[in-house]
Amino acid sequence: MIKKIVFLGAPSTGKSTLSEALAERFDSISVPEYGRDYWIEHQVDRRLSPEQLLHIAQVQNQWEDQASIAAKDYLFCDTNAFTTWHFACHYHTTPLAELTRLAEDSWQRYDLVVLCDNDIPYDDTWERSGDANRSEFQQFIQQYLIAHGIHFIKVSGSLASRIAQMDVALNALESEQRNDLLSPC
């Protein structure tokens, strides 16, 4: 059975880089962020409609489900429905009810939630919303995880340091699973 790991964090916190590096390291799959390419192609005045954001979350889940069939040991997910919900909150105040449901249900999809720290330089590309939003988004995500009792780890530092932190976390995850299998009913 594969373990699904999701990476969260504000824009430009190294989620894609870490997800891809770990997929390569473990000869498995990194599920890319569907919303990034969708946004580039469909945005109008740097915005997407609430319906488009729902579509993004639905397709992201579909991509994960499809990739989990071919993954080896781990499936590394660059984002999730919660992230899309957060963007909907930011840009539209009230997300669609179906997107809220997908975001709430998303925590059941993963064996490990990883928050990528914003301690790396901000990569100010045209499709991102700016370094000020990065700090605000990062704070919101961390506070949300804590307030809702969602277990997560936070990785920081260089890519090599983050990979080392993930090695520890994945080993702990495997040990936890072995202990669960050996526990009496």
Side-chain angles (χ1 to χ4, degrees), residues 49-94:
S49 72
E51 294 77 16
Q52 288 173 304
L53 291 164
L54 172 60
H55 168 76
I56 288 169
Q58 292 168 329
V59 172
Q60 189 70 41
N61 282 351
Q62 291 169 2
W63 280 14
E64 287 179 15
D65 294 343
Q66 291 168 351
S68 67
I69 296 167
K72 280 180 49 184
D73 299 324
Y74 303 107
L75 179 65
F76 301 99
C77 304
D78 187 349
T79 190
N80 70 354
F82 166 78
T83 300
T84 307
W85 172 85
H86 183 207
F87 275 101
C89 290
H90 182 77
Y91 291 112
H92 299 291
T93 309
T94 305

Side-chain angles (χ1 to χ4, degrees), residues 12-76:
S12 191
T13 53
K15 299 177 299 292
S16 301
T17 302
L18 183 57
S19 182
E20 292 165 6
L22 289 167
E24 183 176 322
R25 178 181 180 88
F26 290 99
D27 191 29
S28 194
I29 297 171
S30 172
V31 181
E33 180 184 359
Y34 173 69
R36 179 182 295 171
D37 290 336
Y38 185 92
W39 185 89
I40 289 170
E41 189 174 329
H42 298 285
Q43 59 85 22
V44 176
D45 295 328
R46 303 182 61 79
R47 298 288 184 273
L48 295 174
S49 72
E51 294 77 16
Q52 288 173 304
L53 291 164
L54 172 60
H55 168 76
I56 288 169
Q58 292 168 329
V59 172
Q60 189 70 41
N61 282 351
Q62 291 169 2
W63 280 14
E64 287 179 15
D65 294 343
Q66 291 168 351
S68 67
I69 296 167
K72 280 180 49 184
D73 299 324
Y74 303 107
L75 179 65
F76 301 99

Side-chain angles (χ1 to χ4, degrees), residues 83-151:
T83 300
T84 307
W85 172 85
H86 183 207
F87 275 101
C89 290
H90 182 77
Y91 291 112
H92 299 291
T93 309
T94 305
L96 295 176
E98 178 66 8
L99 179 54
T100 298
R101 187 191 64 74
L102 288 173
E104 290 169 351
D105 292 350
S106 70
W107 308 114
Q108 305 309 309
R109 296 177 62 88
Y110 308 103
D111 298 289
L112 182 61
V113 176
V114 180
L115 178 61
C116 294
D117 202 355
N118 61 344
D119 63 341
I120 59 175
Y122 182 73
D123 186 15
D124 194 12
T125 57
W126 76 271
E127 78 278 6
R128 292 195 169 123
S129 54
D131 197 20
N133 275 351
R134 179 168 90 148
S135 297
E136 176 188 324
F137 274 43
Q138 190 74 5
Q139 183 178 5
F140 176 88
I141 295 165
Q142 185 163 328
Q143 288 175 344
Y144 183 96
L145 294 171
I146 292 167
H148 289 84
I150 298 163
H151 177 74

